């Protein structure tokens, strides 16, 4: 197995080896395997390009299929969604850096990502979808107003739980 990245855990005297296809292999100071972390455990890919630690002891792992944060104390893995501004999901081996100010840089096939780990917010609550009007074929549908000899809305749109439309009720 090829090792792309090595992170030394000075607290536990373990080495975290980021491998090409074998995930992360954690070994003790006698090189005995303590644990292996792979895609089945939540890594985006079992090819680990780089491993860097933030100031809180969390590990940031770049892979061939995304970036992940490993809560070092709980070993909980959280994948960074691409919508968080990543350059892409594919990263390059041995291309990571942690600056003195805590910012982290990970290189990928489409450029690099530069961020401060404390600035990323995961699992933002979804905002509710609110329908403010209903328009069919450029006609605004109002409660009680007939459309094509049908009553589409019997109450206001905000109080309506279900709407039944015909296949003809479209505009392209």
């Amino acid at each position: 197995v090829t090792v792309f990245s090595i992170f030394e855990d000075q607290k536990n005297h373990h080495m975290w080896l980021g491998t090409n296809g074998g995930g992360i292999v954690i070994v003790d100071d006698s090189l005995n395997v303590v644990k292996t972390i792979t895609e089945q455990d939540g890594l985006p890919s079992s090819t680990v390009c780089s491993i860097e630690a933030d100031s809180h002891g969390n590990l940031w792992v770049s892979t061939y299929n995304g970036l992940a944060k490993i809560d070092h104390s709980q070993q909980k893995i959280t994948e960074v969604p691409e919508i968080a501004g990543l350059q892409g999901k594919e990263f390059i081996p041995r291309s990571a850096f942690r600056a003195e100010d805590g910012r982290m840089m990970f290189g990928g096939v489409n450029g690099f990502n530069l961020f401060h780990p404390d600035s990323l917010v995961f699992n933002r609550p979804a905002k509710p979808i609110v329908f403010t009007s209903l328009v069919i074929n450029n006609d605004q549908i109002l409660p009680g107003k007939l459309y094509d000899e049908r009553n589409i809305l019997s109450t206001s749109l905000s109080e309506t739980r279900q709407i039944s439309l015909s296949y003809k009720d479209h505009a392209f």
Side-chain angles (χ1 to χ4, degrees):
V1 173
T2 302
V3 175
F4 282 158
S5 180
I6 299 173
F7 171 77
E8 183 180 2
D9 178 358
Q10 295 186 4
K11 180 180 173 186
N12 296 322
H13 304 288
H14 291 159
M15 304 243 285
W16 292 52
L17 309 175
T19 69
N20 183 10
I24 297 172
V25 178
I26 304 171
V27 297
D28 62 18
D29 53 3
S30 299
L31 299 181
N32 297 311
V33 174
V34 175
K35 183 173 184 172
T36 302
I37 303 171
T38 65
E39 285 178 88
Q40 283 112 0
D41 301 303
L43 284 180
S45 166
S46 288
T47 297
V48 176
C49 299
S50 299
I51 303 171
E52 288 289 333
D54 65 19
S55 61
H56 304 294
N58 299 310
L59 298 181
W60 294 80
V61 179
S62 64
T63 73
Y64 275 178
N65 194 34
L67 181 67
K69 172 186 166 187
I70 300 177
D71 181 320
H72 190 47
S73 60
Q74 301 174 10
Q75 292 193 8
K76 176 185 172 201
I77 300 171
T78 306
E79 188 171 351
V80 178
E82 203 168 354
I83 59 171
L86 295 181
Q87 52 77 42
K89 291 184 73 91
E90 188 175 349
F91 289 85
I92 297 172
R94 298 173 296 279
S95 62
F97 176 75
R98 179 176 163 213
E100 287 183 16
D101 65 2
R103 291 183 302 163
M104 302 185 94
M105 181 182 293
F106 289 90
V109 296
N110 297 313
F112 65 89
N113 300 283
L114 178 64
F115 62 91
H116 196 287
D118 295 343
S119 69
L120 295 181
V121 178
F122 297 97
N123 303 326
R124 289 185 178 149
K127 295 187 179 189
I129 297 173
V130 178
F131 291 97
T132 57
S133 67
L134 176 61
V135 177
I136 301 174
N137 294 322
N138 294 323
D139 288 331
Q140 184 169 8
I141 307 302
L142 299 171
K145 177 183 173 187
L146 292 180
Y147 174 80
D148 199 23
E149 300 180 17
R150 295 176 294 139
N151 187 14
I152 305 288
L153 290 176
S154 56
T155 62
S156 72
L157 189 58
S158 62
E159 295 174 6
T160 300
R161 306 294 280 161
Q162 181 176 339
I163 298 174
S164 297
L165 300 173
S166 164
Y167 70 93
K168 295 184 270 183
D169 299 332
H170 65 82
F172 294 99

